[in-house]
Amino acid sequence: MKTKNVFLILLVACLSLAGCTEKVFVPGTEVTTLDYDVYSSQWQLWGDSFRAILDARDITRYVVTHGNVQVSRCYPGENNGVDVWTPLPCIRTEVTTGTDGNDYFYTTFVDYEWSEGTVWIYVTASDLYTGDRPGDMSFRVFISQ
């Protein structure tokens, strides 16, 4: 009798754990990916940040109402020569060498906003210094509908 109760308790525990791994799939969901290269000359000064505007015509009124947009940035060769994709928003530590030869560290915050037909990418330095334009960057936009 005691063995039967232990077995029953173990069975219930296993079944309850199996229920935690259930996946939800929404039929008809589509994801479109768009790749963009933003060159240093394309960054526009925007308050205390720099901004790039991406033309994303695949972001329709339907996506605005029912879907979602996510953006990732590529850091080329970051992992032993392999490209690394980081979802936005993200903060990275940067280093620059000053005219005095010393290295100076600061953080860079990269985030985004989106609307019908457009994605705006923002780059902000932690010290809000906007003297130098950001370098070339690559982004991937994921549009789900």
Side-chain angles (χ1 to χ4, degrees), residues 9-143:
I9 290 171
L10 287 174
L11 180 64
V12 170
C14 289
L15 289 176
S16 66
L17 288 176
C20 294
T21 61
E22 182 179 336
K23 293 181 182 180
V24 177
F25 175 74
V26 180
T29 300
E30 293 180 27
V31 177
T32 303
T33 59
L34 305 170
D35 290 332
Y36 295 89
D37 291 322
V38 177
Y39 301 102
S40 182
S41 61
Q42 294 175 292
W43 292 105
Q44 306 167 351
L45 189 59
W46 185 256
D48 291 332
S49 301
F50 282 94
R51 176 179 79 169
I53 301 171
L54 308 179
D55 181 22
R57 294 185 183 141
D58 289 323
I59 303 176
T60 62
R61 174 61 38 201
Y62 183 85
V63 172
V64 171
T65 305
H66 303 287
N68 190 28
V69 175
Q70 296 176 323
V71 180
S72 292
R73 177 182 173 191
C74 181
Y75 290 90
E78 284 284 312
N79 187 10
N80 295 323
V82 177
D83 294 350
V84 174
W85 288 91
T86 302
L88 300 184
C90 73
I91 297 174
R92 295 287 285 233
T93 300
E94 308 283 343
V95 63
T96 186
T97 303
T99 55
D100 59 1
N102 291 325
D103 288 339
Y104 295 93
F105 295 87
Y106 61 97
T107 58
T108 302
F109 180 67
V110 183
D111 64 327
Y112 70 101
E113 297 176 324
W114 61 276
S115 185
E116 186 175 351
T118 307
V119 175
W120 297 273
I121 307 286
Y122 300 95
V123 177
T124 307
S126 58
D127 60 2
L128 302 178
Y129 175 70
T130 56
D132 298 327
R133 288 181 184 273
D136 300 346
M137 295 183 198
S138 296
F139 298 95
R140 180 166 290 156
V141 176
F142 301 89
I143 303 166

